[in-house]
Short mmCIF file of all heavy atoms in Angstrom, two decimals:
data_model
loop_
_atom_site.label_atom_id
_atom_site.label_comp_id
_atom_site.label_asym_id
_atom_site.label_seq_id
_atom_site.Cartn_x
_atom_site.Cartn_y
_atom_site.Cartn_z
N PHE A 120 -149.78 151.35 43.95
CA PHE A 120 -149.03 152.54 44.34
C PHE A 120 -149.44 153.03 45.73
O PHE A 120 -149.00 154.10 46.17
CB PHE A 120 -149.29 153.68 43.32
CG PHE A 120 -150.77 153.92 43.12
CD1 PHE A 120 -151.45 154.73 44.01
CD2 PHE A 120 -151.45 153.32 42.08
CE1 PHE A 120 -152.81 154.92 43.87
CE2 PHE A 120 -152.82 153.50 41.94
CZ PHE A 120 -153.50 154.31 42.83
N CYS A 121 -150.33 152.29 46.42
CA CYS A 121 -150.90 152.79 47.68
C CYS A 121 -150.48 151.87 48.84
O CYS A 121 -150.67 150.66 48.78
CB CYS A 121 -152.44 152.79 47.55
SG CYS A 121 -153.29 153.17 49.08
N MET A 163 -162.73 162.26 53.21
CA MET A 163 -162.67 160.81 53.42
C MET A 163 -161.60 160.31 52.45
O MET A 163 -161.88 159.77 51.39
CB MET A 163 -164.02 160.15 53.09
CG MET A 163 -165.19 160.60 53.95
SD MET A 163 -165.16 160.07 55.67
CE MET A 163 -164.88 158.35 55.55
N MET A 164 -160.34 160.55 52.84
CA MET A 164 -159.20 160.22 51.97
C MET A 164 -158.13 159.49 52.74
O MET A 164 -156.97 159.47 52.34
CB MET A 164 -158.59 161.48 51.36
CG MET A 164 -159.48 162.21 50.38
SD MET A 164 -158.57 163.52 49.55
CE MET A 164 -159.89 164.26 48.56
N GLY A 165 -158.52 158.91 53.88
CA GLY A 165 -157.53 158.17 54.66
C GLY A 165 -157.47 156.73 54.17
O GLY A 165 -157.58 156.46 52.97
N GLY A 167 -158.63 153.08 53.25
CA GLY A 167 -159.85 152.37 52.87
C GLY A 167 -160.64 153.02 51.76
O GLY A 167 -160.41 154.15 51.37
N GLU A 168 -161.58 152.23 51.22
CA GLU A 168 -162.47 152.70 50.17
C GLU A 168 -163.82 153.00 50.83
O GLU A 168 -164.57 152.07 51.17
CB GLU A 168 -162.59 151.63 49.08
CG GLU A 168 -163.71 151.87 48.07
CD GLU A 168 -163.75 153.27 47.49
OE1 GLU A 168 -162.75 153.72 46.90
OE2 GLU A 168 -164.81 153.94 47.64
N PRO A 169 -164.15 154.28 51.02
CA PRO A 169 -165.34 154.61 51.80
C PRO A 169 -166.64 154.02 51.26
O PRO A 169 -167.50 153.62 52.01
CB PRO A 169 -165.39 156.14 51.80
CG PRO A 169 -164.35 156.60 50.83
CD PRO A 169 -163.40 155.48 50.62
N SER A 199 -163.67 160.61 48.72
CA SER A 199 -162.83 160.18 47.61
C SER A 199 -163.07 158.69 47.35
O SER A 199 -163.06 157.89 48.28
CB SER A 199 -161.36 160.40 47.92
OG SER A 199 -160.55 159.91 46.87
N THR A 200 -163.32 158.35 46.09
CA THR A 200 -163.56 156.95 45.76
C THR A 200 -162.69 156.51 44.58
O THR A 200 -162.37 157.31 43.70
CB THR A 200 -165.04 156.66 45.44
OG1 THR A 200 -165.19 155.27 45.12
CG2 THR A 200 -165.53 157.51 44.25
N SER A 201 -162.38 155.22 44.58
CA SER A 201 -161.67 154.65 43.44
C SER A 201 -162.63 154.38 42.30
O SER A 201 -162.20 154.00 41.22
CB SER A 201 -161.01 153.35 43.89
OG SER A 201 -162.01 152.48 44.40
N SER A 221 -160.46 158.91 42.28
CA SER A 221 -159.08 158.54 41.99
C SER A 221 -159.02 158.00 40.57
O SER A 221 -159.41 156.87 40.31
CB SER A 221 -158.61 157.46 42.98
OG SER A 221 -158.50 158.02 44.26
N HIS A 223 -156.07 158.49 38.09
CA HIS A 223 -154.69 157.99 38.02
C HIS A 223 -154.20 157.45 36.66
O HIS A 223 -153.03 157.22 36.50
CB HIS A 223 -154.42 156.94 39.11
CG HIS A 223 -154.71 157.43 40.50
ND1 HIS A 223 -154.47 158.70 40.92
CD2 HIS A 223 -155.25 156.79 41.58
CE1 HIS A 223 -154.82 158.85 42.17
NE2 HIS A 223 -155.31 157.70 42.61
N GLU A 264 -158.42 162.88 41.00
CA GLU A 264 -157.07 162.79 41.56
C GLU A 264 -156.20 161.98 40.60
O GLU A 264 -156.66 160.97 40.03
CB GLU A 264 -157.14 162.10 42.93
CG GLU A 264 -157.95 162.89 43.95
CD GLU A 264 -158.46 162.05 45.10
OE1 GLU A 264 -159.40 161.25 44.88
OE2 GLU A 264 -157.89 162.18 46.20
N VAL A 266 -152.28 160.57 40.49
CA VAL A 266 -150.97 160.42 41.13
C VAL A 266 -149.89 160.40 40.05
O VAL A 266 -150.01 159.72 39.04
CB VAL A 266 -150.93 159.14 42.02
CG1 VAL A 266 -151.10 157.87 41.22
CG2 VAL A 266 -149.67 159.09 42.84
N ILE A 295 -151.24 164.60 42.17
CA ILE A 295 -150.63 164.26 43.47
C ILE A 295 -149.25 163.68 43.20
O ILE A 295 -149.15 162.59 42.63
CB ILE A 295 -151.46 163.21 44.25
CG1 ILE A 295 -152.96 163.52 44.23
CG2 ILE A 295 -150.94 163.07 45.65
CD1 ILE A 295 -153.82 162.45 44.92
N PRO A 296 -148.20 164.41 43.58
CA PRO A 296 -146.87 163.79 43.45
C PRO A 296 -146.84 162.48 44.23
O PRO A 296 -147.27 162.46 45.38
CB PRO A 296 -145.93 164.84 44.07
CG PRO A 296 -146.70 166.12 44.04
CD PRO A 296 -148.15 165.74 44.17
N PHE A 297 -146.41 161.40 43.61
CA PHE A 297 -146.39 160.09 44.28
C PHE A 297 -145.58 160.16 45.56
O PHE A 297 -144.48 160.70 45.58
CB PHE A 297 -145.79 159.06 43.33
CG PHE A 297 -145.50 157.73 43.99
CD1 PHE A 297 -146.54 156.92 44.44
CD2 PHE A 297 -144.19 157.29 44.17
CE1 PHE A 297 -146.29 155.71 45.06
CE2 PHE A 297 -143.93 156.08 44.80
CZ PHE A 297 -145.00 155.29 45.24
N ASN A 298 -146.12 159.62 46.63
CA ASN A 298 -145.40 159.55 47.91
C ASN A 298 -144.87 158.14 48.11
O ASN A 298 -145.65 157.20 48.16
CB ASN A 298 -146.33 159.92 49.06
CG ASN A 298 -146.75 161.39 48.96
OD1 ASN A 298 -145.90 162.29 48.83
ND2 ASN A 298 -148.04 161.64 48.97
N PHE A 300 -143.14 154.72 49.61
CA PHE A 300 -143.15 153.94 50.86
C PHE A 300 -142.33 152.67 50.56
O PHE A 300 -142.12 152.34 49.38
CB PHE A 300 -144.58 153.60 51.30
CG PHE A 300 -145.40 152.91 50.24
CD1 PHE A 300 -145.43 151.54 50.14
CD2 PHE A 300 -146.13 153.67 49.30
CE1 PHE A 300 -146.18 150.90 49.15
CE2 PHE A 300 -146.87 153.04 48.31
CZ PHE A 300 -146.90 151.66 48.24
N CYS A 341 -150.48 161.52 51.39
CA CYS A 341 -151.41 160.67 50.65
C CYS A 341 -150.76 159.35 50.31
O CYS A 341 -149.66 159.32 49.76
CB CYS A 341 -151.83 161.29 49.34
SG CYS A 341 -152.51 162.91 49.48
N GLY A 342 -151.46 158.29 50.59
CA GLY A 342 -150.98 156.97 50.16
C GLY A 342 -149.93 156.38 51.07
O GLY A 342 -149.51 155.26 50.86
N1 SAH B 26 -159.88 154.60 48.49
C1 SAH B 26 -160.22 155.94 48.16
C2 SAH B 26 -159.85 156.88 49.27
C3 SAH B 26 -158.36 157.02 49.51
S1 SAH B 26 -157.96 158.63 49.14
C4 SAH B 26 -159.57 156.32 46.86
O1 SAH B 26 -158.76 155.58 46.35
O2 SAH B 26 -159.94 157.37 46.29
C5 SAH B 26 -156.27 158.67 49.04
C6 SAH B 26 -155.80 159.30 47.74
O3 SAH B 26 -154.38 159.17 47.69
C7 SAH B 26 -156.34 158.54 46.54
O4 SAH B 26 -156.50 159.40 45.44
C8 SAH B 26 -155.20 157.61 46.29
O5 SAH B 26 -155.24 157.08 44.99
C9 SAH B 26 -154.01 158.48 46.52
N2 SAH B 26 -152.76 157.72 46.76
C10 SAH B 26 -152.67 156.42 47.09
N3 SAH B 26 -151.36 156.08 47.23
C11 SAH B 26 -150.63 157.19 46.97
C12 SAH B 26 -149.23 157.46 46.97
N4 SAH B 26 -148.34 156.55 47.30
N5 SAH B 26 -148.84 158.73 46.65
C13 SAH B 26 -149.76 159.69 46.38
N6 SAH B 26 -151.09 159.48 46.39
C14 SAH B 26 -151.53 158.23 46.68
#
Side-chain angles (χ1 to χ4, degrees):
F120 54 82
C121 173
M163 299 290 309
M164 293 189 184
E168 168 49 56
S199 176
T200 180
S201 57
S221 291
H223 304 323
E264 296 159 286
V266 64
I295 315 177
F297 170 67
N298 295 308
F300 54 91
C341 304

